Amino acid sequence: MSDSESTTAPPARLKMSDVARLAGVSVSTVSRALAGSSLIPKPLRDKIEAIAEEAGYAVNHSARTLRMQTTRTIGVVLPIGQQTDQRATDPFLIEMVGHLTDEVIKRGYDLLVSKAPSAREGWLSALIQSHRFDGMLMIGQSDQSAGLSDVARRYMPMVVWGERSPESAYCSVGVDNVYGGRLATDHLLSIGRRYIRFVGPMAVPEVCARHRGYAEALDSVGIEAGEPVVSTFAHVSAYEATRKLIESRERFDALFCASDVIAGGAQRALMDAGLRIPTDVAVAGFDDVPLAQYMSPPLTTVRQDLKVAANLMVELLFRRLDGTATPSSVIPARLVIRASTTG
């Protein structure tokens, strides 16, 4: 074979042990550092990553996940309770999933979104045993709090967005919903409303806490709370529940709705009945999803910072994946009321 026809053998593939030798650390330390583990101090992680890059070392993710029996995937599970009827297209869920996606991808992991079709017994255990992800983020307890606690006693890498209760065994992130309920109701009282009704799915812990804050705010001014107007999280359910309230001829001059989607359905029912918002009936929601300020009229609502919440949820989950103890409950930020110019 002539020199022009000769070929050069490809260089030997650099191994993780070579990077460990160059960095003066163990192979396990290199493995953790290149996986972004918080167990490795950031200065050392940066040093190892720089050495690996300079030496031309590339992580074989397929081999690594097989060897370590990991998926490099985080599961995001949407609420499923029959009583809530919350759709995957709910603006709150879309916004929260978006923030969680950003935070998970920053850590070099993929995201798997799951929503069980029904609250059948053992659904959560079956989902975890499918081994499709390394850790789980649950958006809301729905009416599944007891099942979540049962799973949490044997499955550590799980963080839940929702209301904290003394009986809960799982790690949760959530706002002070009682305070949020008071905030919305105090605002309605401040604009002269005295016959305020609460609308929402009372089987959901977060909603129950918001109702408790609503009742406390009314009690503080000597007003008795009316019976909750029960609806699911679906727009059509809120519309029908509000329509029935209007037809009952019961007196009310304001509605505090457990979510902005519920508030949207309630506002449509009020307008279809010829009632003016807020002149005849004022409406307040909860979440401050982007859609709220574009409603007609714009919605007064309680704002919770979902970006901060998502960051906290993912941070806690990755600490738990590393085997680090975390607080049982975290409140990310103080709530604020965003009042529309129309009241």
Side-chain angles (χ1 to χ4, degrees):
M1 188 187 317
S2 67
D3 290 342
S4 62
E5 293 175 321
S6 64
T7 58
T8 303
R13 183 183 177 89
L14 204 66
K15 298 178 181 179
M16 191 176 290
S17 58
D18 298 319
V19 178
R21 177 176 50 79
L22 291 169
V25 297
S26 67
V27 172
S28 62
T29 297
V30 172
S31 177
R32 288 193 178 98
L34 295 181
S37 171
S38 59
L39 291 176
I40 308 301
K42 189 176 186 305
L44 181 55
R45 283 206 315 269
D46 292 343
K47 175 187 173 182
I48 292 170
E49 287 170 1
I51 290 172
E53 183 177 354
E54 186 177 343
Y57 175 76
V59 178
N60 185 334
H61 289 291
S62 297
R64 185 179 188 277
T65 54
L66 284 171
R67 183 173 65 254
M68 300 186 68
Q69 295 186 319
T70 64
T71 65
R72 301 287 296 179
T73 299
I74 298 300
V76 173
V77 183
L78 306 182
I80 62 160
Q82 297 288 338
Q83 295 92 333
T84 65
D85 198 24
Q86 194 167 20
R87 304 289 194 263
T89 52
D90 185 298
F92 167 81
L93 293 179
I94 291 173
E95 185 176 358
M96 179 61 102
V97 170
H99 289 310
L100 290 172
T101 300
D102 290 342
E103 294 298 328
V104 168
I105 288 175
K106 282 179 189 176
R107 290 161 170 80
Y109 276 63
D110 291 325
L111 202 78
L112 172 67
V113 179
S114 179
K115 186 172 193 263
S118 64
R120 63 186 183 278
E121 187 175 352
W123 69 272
L124 187 53
S125 293
L127 184 61
I128 291 168
Q129 289 165 10
S130 70
H131 301 295
R132 289 186 288 167
F133 45 73
D134 299 335
M136 187 179 78
L137 298 163
M138 171 77 79
I139 306 180
Q141 304 116 311
S142 184
D143 51 7
Q144 301 292 300
S145 188
L148 287 167
S149 287
D150 180 58
V151 166
R153 293 184 180 96
R154 57 184 186 276
Y155 183 74
M156 186 177 181
M158 178 173 75
V159 177
V160 179
W161 167 261
E163 179 68 15
R164 183 66 189 169
S165 71
E167 302 83 36
S168 300
Y170 48 85
C171 174
S172 69
V173 174
V175 299
D176 185 342
N177 286 290
V178 175
Y179 172 74
R182 289 193 63 108
L183 197 64
T185 310
D186 283 340
H187 169 76
L188 293 171
L189 290 168
S190 74
I191 60 173
R193 305 309 160 118
R194 291 296 179 269
Y195 302 94
I196 305 168
R197 299 295 295 272
F198 181 89
V199 188
M202 297 303 293
V204 179
E206 293 167 282
V207 173
C208 286
R210 291 168 196 174
H211 179 267
R212 189 158 68 250
Y214 149 85
E216 288 177 1
L218 291 181
D219 184 64
S220 69
V221 294
I223 298 175
E224 185 177 350
E227 285 295 314
V229 179
V230 178
S231 85
T232 68
F233 278 119
H235 185 280
V236 65
S237 176
Y239 179 95
E240 288 300 323
T242 305
R243 183 182 61 80
K244 289 177 182 177
L245 176 64
I246 295 167
E247 292 174 352
S248 73
R249 303 291 183 180
E250 292 182 42
R251 187 176 182 182
F252 67 99
D253 58 11
L255 297 176
F256 169 33
C257 301
S259 79
D260 291 346
V261 171
I262 293 173
Q267 284 200 168
R268 174 52 56 189
L270 293 169
M271 289 188 287
D272 285 354
L275 295 168
R276 297 165 299 169
I277 304 169
T279 305
D280 298 322
V281 181
V283 180
F286 204 105
D287 291 332
D288 194 19
V289 297
L291 179 67
Q293 57 188 303
Y294 298 109
M295 289 183 184
S296 182
L299 180 66
T300 290
T301 184
V302 176
R303 184 175 191 276
Q304 46 188 349
D305 194 329
L306 298 186
K307 184 176 181 179
V308 170
N311 178 276
L312 269 171
M313 288 180 70
V314 174
E315 174 63 27
L316 289 170
L317 180 65
F318 275 81
R319 285 168 59 185
R320 294 172 78 83
L321 280 169
D322 282 338
T324 305
T326 65
S328 60
S329 179
V330 177
I331 295 177
R334 194 164 178 81
L335 298 164
V336 295
I337 187 89
R338 185 182 62 74
S340 74
T341 56
T342 58

